[in-house]
Amino acid sequence: MRIFSGIQPTGRKHLGNYIGAIEQYVAYQDRGEAIYCIVDLHATTVPYEPALLRERLYDTAAVLLAAGLDPARCIFFRQGDVPEHTELTWLLSSVTAFGDLNRMHQFKEKAGAQRDLVSAGLFTYPILMAADVLAYRADQVPVGDDQRQHIELMRDIAQRFNARFAPDAATPPLVVPQGVYREIGARIMDLQEPERKMSTTGGTEQGTVLVLDEPKTIERRFRRAVTDSGSEIRRAPEKPGISNLIEILAAVRGSDFASVESDFADARYGDFKLAVAAAVIERLRPVQERYAELRPDETALEAILTAGAEKAHAIAAPVVAEVRELMGVGPNPRRSGPDS
Ligand code: AMP
Ligand code: TRP
């Protein structure tokens, strides 16, 4: 089984990214052939500083390695190093429905947040994401809940490509991938506005816990987390703040909601919040320590990403060559031998 996922090089990875995605990446290294990519090309679809993009890319690479990605057990690379991603994006755009792109929630949210330019890249972002996965014929894509619509679209793109260009193939050329979402922790909410997902771009600063935040900052964020006027520690639709804290603790402990609820049945909100903070701090501490060791050595990070890109390229190149051939694009590979 092949696994693929991508993450943006924003550098400011938060607890939602960590619980919803990064922990899954680490676990999936033992479940199949895992391929993980830092998507620098996706990051160019909103305003950004070129020099900072490189810095944030190293930040993100170091966070992922510190969290437990092991280049000996997965392929870990930078999207921009493997040109097949962009080539396949263009090829797949011919089997992507404009109307589908127009319905993407993330596009609408991000487009609404732009003051000047809403780039065409922001609109076609989901095709690049589909190309990321389809170029590797990946079977499973571990992501957070907010990516469901993008995953559905990439499945449609793969199916439409197969139906259009290889209707009779015994084995369809593109694998239709499945999204995999954690049962607990696929959608961590903002601690101040628990109706919104935790996010460094769309959430509140006070309600967002960063993977690299100092323990005292993390504790303060949880201590001030919004709850409700009740006193019961149990999950309920009218208790989004407490429900989110229960979910965070269950995810971090690797337990379920019921055991958190029963452990804190007699606790007060304040004590519960401190317990969640302590668990999160303990979980992030080793990641922060390893990060401090790894981040300064950019040469070593670069070497890991470059070696990963070579392995990624070796998988993606023949897939994209097959797509080109099926689409009738470029020279006919059966005619262009060394003698012709
Ligand atoms: P990004 O930083 O946008 O590239 O997101 C990286 C991964 O984190 C994706 O798989 C997202 O679905 C996941 N993710 C982002 N925000 C959250 C959240 N609040 N809760 C759970 N997962 C999230
Ligand atoms: N769009 C994803 C996000 O915002 C990141 C991403 C890019 C991705 N390419 C991918 C995720 C391929 C999974 C597979 O989080």
Side-chain angles (χ1 to χ4, degrees), residues 113-258:
Q114 302 310 315
R115 260 174 284 150
D116 311 320
L117 175 74
V118 175
S119 71
L122 193 59
F123 188 68
T124 54
Y125 175 117
I127 316 178
L128 177 58
M129 177 165 163
D132 291 341
V133 175
L134 302 181
Y136 298 87
R137 298 199 169 111
D139 306 288
Q140 299 207 336
V141 188
V143 279
D145 193 64
D146 60 349
Q147 297 302 310
R148 278 180 196 271
Q149 203 186 21
H150 286 157
I151 300 282
E152 277 315 305
L153 179 65
M154 85 173 56
R155 291 169 55 84
D156 286 349
I157 291 174
Q159 278 158 348
R160 203 173 290 118
F161 179 90
N162 290 340
R164 166 75 180 83
F165 293 109
D168 305 320
T171 312
L174 296 182
V175 169
V176 181
Q178 269 185 335
V180 286
Y181 312 90
R182 275 188 78 160
E183 220 171 297
I184 296 180
R187 191 173 185 81
I188 300 298
M189 310 308 277
D190 188 285
L191 301 184
Q192 287 298 317
E193 294 182 14
E195 307 75 25
R196 288 158 63 170
K197 68 172 179 179
M198 189 177 286
S199 152
T200 39
T201 46
T204 68
E205 191 180 337
Q206 296 299 321
T208 305
V209 172
L210 301 181
V211 172
L212 298 177
D213 270 342
E214 305 241 342
K216 63 178 187 321
T217 309
I218 299 179
E219 199 191 276
R220 182 164 9 99
R221 298 272 193 263
F222 278 105
R223 208 162 356 98
R224 296 188 185 160
V226 165
T227 50
D228 54 64
S229 56
S231 61
E232 263 182 294
I233 296 171
R234 65 176 168 83
R235 288 171 75 249
E238 70 281 9
K239 295 165 78 71
I242 285 292
S243 300
N244 187 39
L245 294 174
I246 293 172
E247 180 143 5
I248 291 171
L249 188 54
V252 168
R253 283 180 163 188
S255 67
D256 54 17
F257 302 135

Side-chain angles (χ1 to χ4, degrees), residues 10 51 74 83 125 147 149 171 173 183 190-191 196 236 254 257 264 268 281 296 302 304 311 320 326 329 333:
T10 54
C74 70
Y125 175 117
Q147 297 302 310
Q149 203 186 21
T171 312
E183 220 171 297
D190 188 285
L191 301 184
R196 288 158 63 170
F257 302 135
F264 290 90
R268 284 196 302 231
I281 290 167
E302 195 57 54
I304 290 169
K311 292 185 203 159
V320 176
L326 287 165
V329 166

